[in-house]
Amino acid sequence: MINLTSETRLLNNIRPDILAMSAYHVPDASGLIKLDAMENPYVLPDELKAKLGARLAALALNRYPVPTYSGLVTALRAYAHIPESSGVMLGNGSDELIHLLSMAVSKAGERVTVLAPAPSFVMYRASALLNHVDYVEVDLQKRDGVNGVSFQLDVPAMTAAISTHRPALVYLPYPNNPTGAAFERADMLAVMAAAQAVGALVAVDEAYQPFADFTWMSELARFEHMLVVRTVSKLGLAGVRLGYMAGGADLIAELDKVRPPYNINVLTEAAVSCVLEHVDVLEAQAQQIRETRAVLVSALQSMKGVRPFDTQANFVLVEFERDANEVFEGLKARGVLVKNMTKAHPMLSHALRLTVGSQSENAQLLDALNDILK
Ligand SMILES: Cc1ncc(COP(=O)(O)O)c(C=O)c1O
């Protein structure tokens, strides 16, 4: 047992900014329909599960992984059409890659900035601050488009912020979390050009690529300052934790130096390699999710006091006329867990983020919403 004084002394060893932080909160979803974390609602078919089980059982768990992960990298290259000339770096989820990117650009005794649109993925900020890197965010703007209202890049504000802050790294999540839309191509190109002008790297985060209409992967050869970050999480393997990042071979070789050598465990390596041999199963599930998303969005559009934003991801950001906190609690009381975004950003004060679930999960979500809003 440690007494209070010695505990305080021990905690004094921890960085004050870490002591002041709150831990990443994952809500308890037991007994609830889980539509809060953009997971694929479908499981693997039994035959593939059995194959995977046999593959994992045959592994030598007493051995460290071979840190080149060459078999897995070859499989990812083929699946994601990574240009031959590009390098590939693996992460324990793309969360780790984001963290390692911040670490790689941080410089002792020098102010370094990372810049991203807002609202966007929370780990950009968290990993920057943990690595003593300044974080600058530029608000997105709501814009009317052919598919309804979406959150888009404010190009003049982004380019001005880039030339003022001269960041080392700019994040462009494509599609963006939590807003769901993919940014317009001309805007992406304008921001990439502004980043290039100040010598910044651009990380295009394609976590939601399985549900989007376009990928920047094939354009890697055109933009030497661009990195494309991907994950297998949203495709249906969130539990195995694997992210990958492609970019210029020389750049990736330098970034890869900060990667812990055995960051991908042998179970993850084998599981992803095995499932990628049957990736048509996951691609069919992603297609199913896209189709169910369209049904969900049109049902939401027909509800009074509800505004779904345009999305190319496996979730829909929705604004409510009613207090969104009440809607969130009402859904929870009816057994559905979604993500409450009301405190995430001033522009989201009326918003919830709904993951696209299976047909029956979505039906239960819509029933619950109808009940709450009647
Ligand atoms: C935009 C974006 N990037 C990266 C991630 C991290 O994914 P993972 O660490 O599961 O690969 C997420 C997760 O929600 C995300 O929304």
Side-chain angles (χ1 to χ4, degrees), residues 19 39 131 137 168 172 189 204 287 323 336 348 356:
L19 293 175
E39 292 144 325
N131 286 289
E137 47 188 21
L172 288 175
L189 291 173
V204 177
Q287 180 53 29
D323 180 354
V336 184
L348 304 183
V356 179

Side-chain angles (χ1 to χ4, degrees), residues 38 93-95 98 121 124 177 205 207-208 231 233-234 241:
M38 291 85 83
S94 45
D95 275 349
I98 291 164
F121 184 42
Y124 303 151
N177 170 20
D205 182 350
Y208 299 95
T231 175
S233 293
K234 314 301 171 185
R241 311 301 299 129

Side-chain angles (χ1 to χ4, degrees), residues 45 50 53 56 61 75 139 145 147 183 200 203 213 220 259 267 269 276 338 364 367-368:
L56 298 185
L61 297 183
D139 279 355
N147 298 316
F183 302 136
D213 297 340
L220 271 176
R259 182 178 61 80
L267 295 165
E269 182 184 20
L276 283 182
V338 299
Q364 290 175 75
D367 282 350

Side-chain angles (χ1 to χ4, degrees), residues 96-330:
E96 188 186 38
L97 290 168
I98 291 164
H99 186 70
L100 296 178
L101 271 173
S102 293
M103 192 189 285
V105 299
S106 65
K107 291 179 181 159
E110 222 180 282
R111 289 195 83 155
V112 174
T113 300
V114 166
L115 189 142
S120 69
F121 184 42
V122 290
M123 295 309 289
Y124 303 151
R125 171 200 284 276
S127 67
L129 299 183
L130 277 174
N131 286 289
H132 305 288
V133 169
D134 291 344
Y135 187 72
V136 171
E137 47 188 21
V138 179
D139 279 355
L140 293 169
Q141 53 181 207
K142 284 182 192 169
R143 204 180 293 163
D144 248 325
V146 275
N147 298 316
V149 181
S150 68
F151 283 84
Q152 292 292 331
L153 293 168
D154 181 343
V155 173
M158 276 300 263
T159 51
I162 289 171
S163 59
T164 306
H165 297 282
R166 306 184 75 82
L169 172 67
V170 177
Y171 282 105
L172 288 175
Y174 188 97
N176 185 40
N177 170 20
T179 55
F183 302 136
E184 283 169 21
R185 182 179 170 82
D187 295 353
M188 289 283 286
L189 291 173
V191 173
M192 280 202 263
Q196 195 163 28
V198 299
L201 299 171
V202 174
V204 177
D205 182 350
E206 293 194 336
Y208 299 95
Q209 178 278 332
F211 318 101
D213 297 340
F214 179 77
T215 166
W216 291 86
M217 192 67 91
S218 66
E219 309 207 22
L220 271 176
R222 233 181 103 194
F223 301 106
E224 59 177 10
H225 65 312
M226 182 169 87
L227 298 156
V228 175
V229 185
R230 290 269 193 95
T231 175
V232 298
S233 293
K234 314 301 171 185
L235 188 62
L237 299 174
V240 306
R241 311 301 299 129
L242 182 78
Y244 53 104
M245 178 164 71
D250 292 347
L251 183 59
I252 291 286
E254 295 306 319
L255 292 169
D256 200 50
K257 292 178 184 169
V258 297
R259 182 178 61 80
Y262 306 119
N263 64 333
I264 309 304
N265 70 72
V266 291
L267 295 165
T268 295
E269 182 184 20
V272 177
S273 302
C274 175
V275 177
L276 283 182
E277 288 165 20
H278 306 273
V279 76
D280 51 314
V281 170
L282 295 185
E283 283 174 339
Q285 292 178 350
Q287 180 53 29
Q288 177 72 51
I289 292 168
R290 292 169 68 128
E291 286 166 22
T292 343
R293 173 182 72 192
V295 176
L296 176 64
V297 168
S298 76
L300 290 165
Q301 277 164 341
S302 68
M303 284 180 165
K304 226 175 137 270
V306 177
R307 171 155 81 168
F309 290 98
D310 182 26
T311 177
Q312 283 197 33
N314 62 341
F315 61 86
V316 193
L317 183 75
V318 183
E319 211 168 56
F320 294 89
E321 246 167 47
R322 274 267 297 275
D323 180 354
N325 294 297
E326 275 174 36
V327 179
F328 173 79
E329 291 303 336

Side-chain angles (χ1 to χ4, degrees), residues 17-85:
D17 55 330
I18 292 179
L19 293 175
M21 268 171 67
S22 356
Y24 187 85
H25 174 64
V26 179
D28 180 14
S30 353
L32 299 173
I33 297 175
K34 200 170 178 312
L35 300 178
D36 65 326
M38 291 85 83
E39 292 144 325
N40 173 343
Y42 307 110
V43 293
L44 297 177
D46 286 345
E47 205 184 321
L48 183 49
K49 275 189 193 165
K51 203 167 189 171
L52 181 60
R55 192 77 82 86
L56 298 185
L59 292 172
L61 297 183
N62 54 322
R63 300 291 177 199
Y64 283 105
V66 177
T68 51
Y69 301 104
S70 56
L72 176 56
V73 169
T74 304
L76 287 168
R77 279 184 178 280
Y79 159 66
H81 305 291
I82 299 173
E84 229 172 277
S85 57

